Amino acid sequence: MEKVRQYESKRIEICRNCGGTGHVTPKVEGNFLLRRLQCPERLVPCDVCDGSGRVEKTINIAITVKSFQ
Ligand SMILES: [Zn+2]
């Protein structure tokens, strides 16, 4: 006999990748002077939350109970 219990919960959280702003500073290779020339203050939309600043987190928990043999 085996029993499986499943729990699912969803919650909205602030995106950790961008800190809730929805935008991040792009990572550019090269030295500091070159970076300044290419993009001084440009921001790109966050990959994780698509610029919304929030993410939906789904938590799935499955507990299986069976006889010990
Ligand atoms: Zn984000």
Side-chain angles (χ1 to χ4, degrees):
M1 180 78 183
E2 189 177 290
K3 275 187 179 179
V4 181
R5 280 189 183 179
Q6 281 193 317
Y7 302 92
E8 190 185 295
S9 68
K10 280 184 185 178
R11 55 167 126 166
I12 310 294
E13 288 187 3
I14 289 169
C15 177
R16 285 186 187 181
N17 191 48
C18 60
T21 59
H23 295 87
V24 287
T25 38
K27 284 178 185 170
V28 181
E29 298 293 324
N31 62 45
F32 180 73
L33 202 70
L34 199 69
R35 271 204 305 259
R36 294 282 292 186
L37 285 168
Q38 280 173 340
C39 47
E41 294 291 324
R42 209 182 69 193
L43 294 170
V44 293
C46 175
D47 285 342
V48 180
C49 62
D50 276 333
S52 68
R54 306 270 151 108
V55 287
E56 188 184 87
K57 199 182 264 188
T58 309
I59 300 161
N60 282 296
I61 302 166
I63 300 167
T64 309
V65 181
K66 62 178 177 180
S67 63
F68 180 74
Q69 289 173 351

PDB file of all heavy atoms in Angstrom, residues 14-24 45-55, ligand 1:
ATOM      1  N   ILE A  14       9.010  39.141  -5.485  1.00  0.00           N
ATOM      2  CA  ILE A  14       9.833  40.132  -6.183  1.00  0.00           C
ATOM      3  C   ILE A  14      11.013  39.416  -6.829  1.00  0.00           C
ATOM      4  O   ILE A  14      11.641  38.565  -6.212  1.00  0.00           O
ATOM      5  CB  ILE A  14      10.308  41.228  -5.201  1.00  0.00           C
ATOM      6  CG1 ILE A  14       9.133  42.114  -4.797  1.00  0.00           C
ATOM      7  CG2 ILE A  14      11.434  42.070  -5.809  1.00  0.00           C
ATOM      8  CD1 ILE A  14       9.422  43.044  -3.653  1.00  0.00           C
ATOM      9  N   CYS A  15      11.258  39.754  -8.087  1.00  0.00           N
ATOM     10  CA  CYS A  15      12.334  39.112  -8.841  1.00  0.00           C
ATOM     11  C   CYS A  15      13.683  39.421  -8.196  1.00  0.00           C
ATOM     12  O   CYS A  15      14.013  40.571  -7.950  1.00  0.00           O
ATOM     13  CB  CYS A  15      12.298  39.608 -10.286  1.00  0.00           C
ATOM     14  SG  CYS A  15      13.621  38.947 -11.294  1.00  0.00           S
ATOM     15  N   ARG A  16      14.441  38.375  -7.925  1.00  0.00           N
ATOM     16  CA  ARG A  16      15.746  38.564  -7.291  1.00  0.00           C
ATOM     17  C   ARG A  16      16.816  39.001  -8.277  1.00  0.00           C
ATOM     18  O   ARG A  16      17.811  39.593  -7.902  1.00  0.00           O
ATOM     19  CB  ARG A  16      16.194  37.255  -6.627  1.00  0.00           C
ATOM     20  CG  ARG A  16      15.458  36.990  -5.351  1.00  0.00           C
ATOM     21  CD  ARG A  16      16.047  35.772  -4.692  1.00  0.00           C
ATOM     22  NE  ARG A  16      15.253  35.385  -3.529  1.00  0.00           N
ATOM     23  CZ  ARG A  16      15.547  34.361  -2.756  1.00  0.00           C
ATOM     24  NH1 ARG A  16      16.594  33.630  -3.016  1.00  0.00           N
ATOM     25  NH2 ARG A  16      14.800  34.067  -1.722  1.00  0.00           N
ATOM     26  N   ASN A  17      16.607  38.638  -9.529  1.00  0.00           N
ATOM     27  CA  ASN A  17      17.617  38.969 -10.536  1.00  0.00           C
ATOM     28  C   ASN A  17      17.768  40.471 -10.729  1.00  0.00           C
ATOM     29  O   ASN A  17      18.865  40.978 -10.884  1.00  0.00           O
ATOM     30  CB  ASN A  17      17.242  38.291 -11.855  1.00  0.00           C
ATOM     31  CG  ASN A  17      18.355  38.347 -12.870  1.00  0.00           C
ATOM     32  OD1 ASN A  17      19.505  38.046 -12.569  1.00  0.00           O
ATOM     33  ND2 ASN A  17      18.022  38.744 -14.080  1.00  0.00           N
ATOM     34  N   CYS A  18      16.639  41.178 -10.694  1.00  0.00           N
ATOM     35  CA  CYS A  18      16.684  42.626 -10.928  1.00  0.00           C
ATOM     36  C   CYS A  18      16.285  43.418  -9.691  1.00  0.00           C
ATOM     37  O   CYS A  18      16.290  44.648  -9.710  1.00  0.00           O
ATOM     38  CB  CYS A  18      15.775  42.986 -12.096  1.00  0.00           C
ATOM     39  SG  CYS A  18      14.060  42.520 -11.812  1.00  0.00           S
ATOM     40  N   GLY A  19      15.910  42.733  -8.619  1.00  0.00           N
ATOM     41  CA  GLY A  19      15.530  43.421  -7.385  1.00  0.00           C
ATOM     42  C   GLY A  19      14.185  44.122  -7.476  1.00  0.00           C
ATOM     43  O   GLY A  19      13.913  45.053  -6.734  1.00  0.00           O
ATOM     44  N   GLY A  20      13.325  43.685  -8.398  1.00  0.00           N
ATOM     45  CA  GLY A  20      11.984  44.247  -8.520  1.00  0.00           C
ATOM     46  C   GLY A  20      11.881  45.428  -9.468  1.00  0.00           C
ATOM     47  O   GLY A  20      10.813  45.977  -9.660  1.00  0.00           O
ATOM     48  N   THR A  21      12.980  45.813 -10.075  1.00  0.00           N
ATOM     49  CA  THR A  21      12.942  46.966 -10.987  1.00  0.00           C
ATOM     50  C   THR A  21      12.539  46.576 -12.399  1.00  0.00           C
ATOM     51  O   THR A  21      12.036  47.403 -13.153  1.00  0.00           O
ATOM     52  CB  THR A  21      14.324  47.650 -11.049  1.00  0.00           C
ATOM     53  OG1 THR A  21      15.301  46.710 -11.498  1.00  0.00           O
ATOM     54  CG2 THR A  21      14.735  48.196  -9.689  1.00  0.00           C
ATOM     55  N   GLY A  22      12.771  45.306 -12.768  1.00  0.00           N
ATOM     56  CA  GLY A  22      12.426  44.852 -14.109  1.00  0.00           C
ATOM     57  C   GLY A  22      13.530  45.077 -15.129  1.00  0.00           C
ATOM     58  O   GLY A  22      13.414  44.669 -16.268  1.00  0.00           O
ATOM     59  N   HIS A  23      14.582  45.743 -14.708  1.00  0.00           N
ATOM     60  CA  HIS A  23      15.683  46.021 -15.630  1.00  0.00           C
ATOM     61  C   HIS A  23      17.021  45.718 -14.959  1.00  0.00           C
ATOM     62  O   HIS A  23      17.157  45.871 -13.748  1.00  0.00           O
ATOM     63  CB  HIS A  23      15.662  47.479 -16.092  1.00  0.00           C
ATOM     64  CG  HIS A  23      14.457  47.817 -16.909  1.00  0.00           C
ATOM     65  ND1 HIS A  23      13.278  48.232 -16.336  1.00  0.00           N
ATOM     66  CD2 HIS A  23      14.243  47.766 -18.245  1.00  0.00           C
ATOM     67  CE1 HIS A  23      12.395  48.431 -17.297  1.00  0.00           C
ATOM     68  NE2 HIS A  23      12.949  48.154 -18.461  1.00  0.00           N
ATOM     69  N   VAL A  24      17.948  45.326 -15.770  1.00  0.00           N
ATOM     70  CA  VAL A  24      19.297  45.054 -15.255  1.00  0.00           C
ATOM     71  C   VAL A  24      20.330  45.743 -16.134  1.00  0.00           C
ATOM     72  O   VAL A  24      20.073  46.004 -17.309  1.00  0.00           O
ATOM     73  CB  VAL A  24      19.599  43.530 -15.205  1.00  0.00           C
ATOM     74  CG1 VAL A  24      18.834  42.851 -14.088  1.00  0.00           C
ATOM     75  CG2 VAL A  24      19.321  42.865 -16.530  1.00  0.00           C
ATOM     76  N   PRO A  45      15.811  44.897 -20.309  1.00  0.00           N
ATOM     77  CA  PRO A  45      14.776  44.186 -19.547  1.00  0.00           C
ATOM     78  C   PRO A  45      15.319  42.894 -18.940  1.00  0.00           C
ATOM     79  O   PRO A  45      16.108  42.196 -19.565  1.00  0.00           O
ATOM     80  CB  PRO A  45      13.682  43.891 -20.579  1.00  0.00           C
ATOM     81  CG  PRO A  45      13.937  44.818 -21.698  1.00  0.00           C
ATOM     82  CD  PRO A  45      15.416  45.101 -21.709  1.00  0.00           C
ATOM     83  N   CYS A  46      14.870  42.608 -17.733  1.00  0.00           N
ATOM     84  CA  CYS A  46      15.339  41.425 -17.011  1.00  0.00           C
ATOM     85  C   CYS A  46      14.855  40.139 -17.697  1.00  0.00           C
ATOM     86  O   CYS A  46      13.697  40.044 -18.090  1.00  0.00           O
ATOM     87  CB  CYS A  46      14.828  41.492 -15.582  1.00  0.00           C
ATOM     88  SG  CYS A  46      15.205  40.048 -14.615  1.00  0.00           S
ATOM     89  N   ASP A  47      15.755  39.185 -17.871  1.00  0.00           N
ATOM     90  CA  ASP A  47      15.425  37.907 -18.511  1.00  0.00           C
ATOM     91  C   ASP A  47      14.462  37.070 -17.679  1.00  0.00           C
ATOM     92  O   ASP A  47      13.625  36.347 -18.202  1.00  0.00           O
ATOM     93  CB  ASP A  47      16.701  37.081 -18.728  1.00  0.00           C
ATOM     94  CG  ASP A  47      17.533  37.619 -19.880  1.00  0.00           C
ATOM     95  OD1 ASP A  47      16.978  38.375 -20.688  1.00  0.00           O
ATOM     96  OD2 ASP A  47      18.727  37.285 -19.945  1.00  0.00           O
ATOM     97  N   VAL A  48      14.606  37.158 -16.380  1.00  0.00           N
ATOM     98  CA  VAL A  48      13.858  36.279 -15.485  1.00  0.00           C
ATOM     99  C   VAL A  48      12.384  36.678 -15.411  1.00  0.00           C
ATOM    100  O   VAL A  48      11.496  35.839 -15.487  1.00  0.00           O
ATOM    101  CB  VAL A  48      14.506  36.262 -14.085  1.00  0.00           C
ATOM    102  CG1 VAL A  48      13.750  35.349 -13.133  1.00  0.00           C
ATOM    103  CG2 VAL A  48      15.954  35.816 -14.179  1.00  0.00           C
ATOM    104  N   CYS A  49      12.098  37.961 -15.267  1.00  0.00           N
ATOM    105  CA  CYS A  49      10.715  38.409 -15.067  1.00  0.00           C
ATOM    106  C   CYS A  49      10.144  39.130 -16.281  1.00  0.00           C
ATOM    107  O   CYS A  49       9.010  39.590 -16.236  1.00  0.00           O
ATOM    108  CB  CYS A  49      10.646  39.314 -13.849  1.00  0.00           C
ATOM    109  SG  CYS A  49      11.628  40.812 -14.029  1.00  0.00           S
ATOM    110  N   ASP A  50      10.908  39.233 -17.365  1.00  0.00           N
ATOM    111  CA  ASP A  50      10.482  39.914 -18.585  1.00  0.00           C
ATOM    112  C   ASP A  50      10.123  41.374 -18.345  1.00  0.00           C
ATOM    113  O   ASP A  50       9.196  41.909 -18.969  1.00  0.00           O
ATOM    114  CB  ASP A  50       9.300  39.189 -19.240  1.00  0.00           C
ATOM    115  CG  ASP A  50       9.775  38.039 -20.118  1.00  0.00           C
ATOM    116  OD1 ASP A  50      10.909  38.112 -20.624  1.00  0.00           O
ATOM    117  OD2 ASP A  50       9.016  37.071 -20.282  1.00  0.00           O
ATOM    118  N   GLY A  51      10.779  41.990 -17.417  1.00  0.00           N
ATOM    119  CA  GLY A  51      10.584  43.421 -17.192  1.00  0.00           C
ATOM    120  C   GLY A  51       9.461  43.780 -16.243  1.00  0.00           C
ATOM    121  O   GLY A  51       9.194  44.956 -16.020  1.00  0.00           O
ATOM    122  N   SER A  52       8.793  42.777 -15.679  1.00  0.00           N
ATOM    123  CA  SER A  52       7.673  43.066 -14.785  1.00  0.00           C
ATOM    124  C   SER A  52       8.132  43.331 -13.346  1.00  0.00           C
ATOM    125  O   SER A  52       7.434  43.971 -12.568  1.00  0.00           O
ATOM    126  CB  SER A  52       6.665  41.915 -14.798  1.00  0.00           C
ATOM    127  OG  SER A  52       7.230  40.769 -14.197  1.00  0.00           O
ATOM    128  N   GLY A  53       9.285  42.801 -12.996  1.00  0.00           N
ATOM    129  CA  GLY A  53       9.793  42.978 -11.628  1.00  0.00           C
ATOM    130  C   GLY A  53       9.258  41.961 -10.641  1.00  0.00           C
ATOM    131  O   GLY A  53       9.679  41.930  -9.496  1.00  0.00           O
ATOM    132  N   ARG A  54       8.307  41.152 -11.089  1.00  0.00           N
ATOM    133  CA  ARG A  54       7.735  40.116 -10.212  1.00  0.00           C
ATOM    134  C   ARG A  54       7.833  38.760 -10.883  1.00  0.00           C
ATOM    135  O   ARG A  54       7.789  38.672 -12.111  1.00  0.00           O
ATOM    136  CB  ARG A  54       6.241  40.406  -9.934  1.00  0.00           C
ATOM    137  CG  ARG A  54       5.968  41.778  -9.397  1.00  0.00           C
ATOM    138  CD  ARG A  54       6.008  41.796  -7.906  1.00  0.00           C
ATOM    139  NE  ARG A  54       6.430  43.117  -7.436  1.00  0.00           N
ATOM    140  CZ  ARG A  54       5.642  43.989  -6.853  1.00  0.00           C
ATOM    141  NH1 ARG A  54       4.414  43.701  -6.636  1.00  0.00           N
ATOM    142  NH2 ARG A  54       6.114  45.151  -6.458  1.00  0.00           N
ATOM    143  N   VAL A  55       7.913  37.732 -10.090  1.00  0.00           N
ATOM    144  CA  VAL A  55       7.915  36.371 -10.623  1.00  0.00           C
ATOM    145  C   VAL A  55       6.885  35.531  -9.870  1.00  0.00           C
ATOM    146  O   VAL A  55       6.611  35.776  -8.694  1.00  0.00           O
ATOM    147  CB  VAL A  55       9.309  35.693 -10.519  1.00  0.00           C
ATOM    148  CG1 VAL A  55      10.277  36.265 -11.530  1.00  0.00           C
ATOM    149  CG2 VAL A  55       9.878  35.800  -9.115  1.00  0.00           C
TER     150      VAL A  55
HETATM  151 ZN    ZN B   1      13.624  40.533 -12.934  1.00  0.00          ZN
END
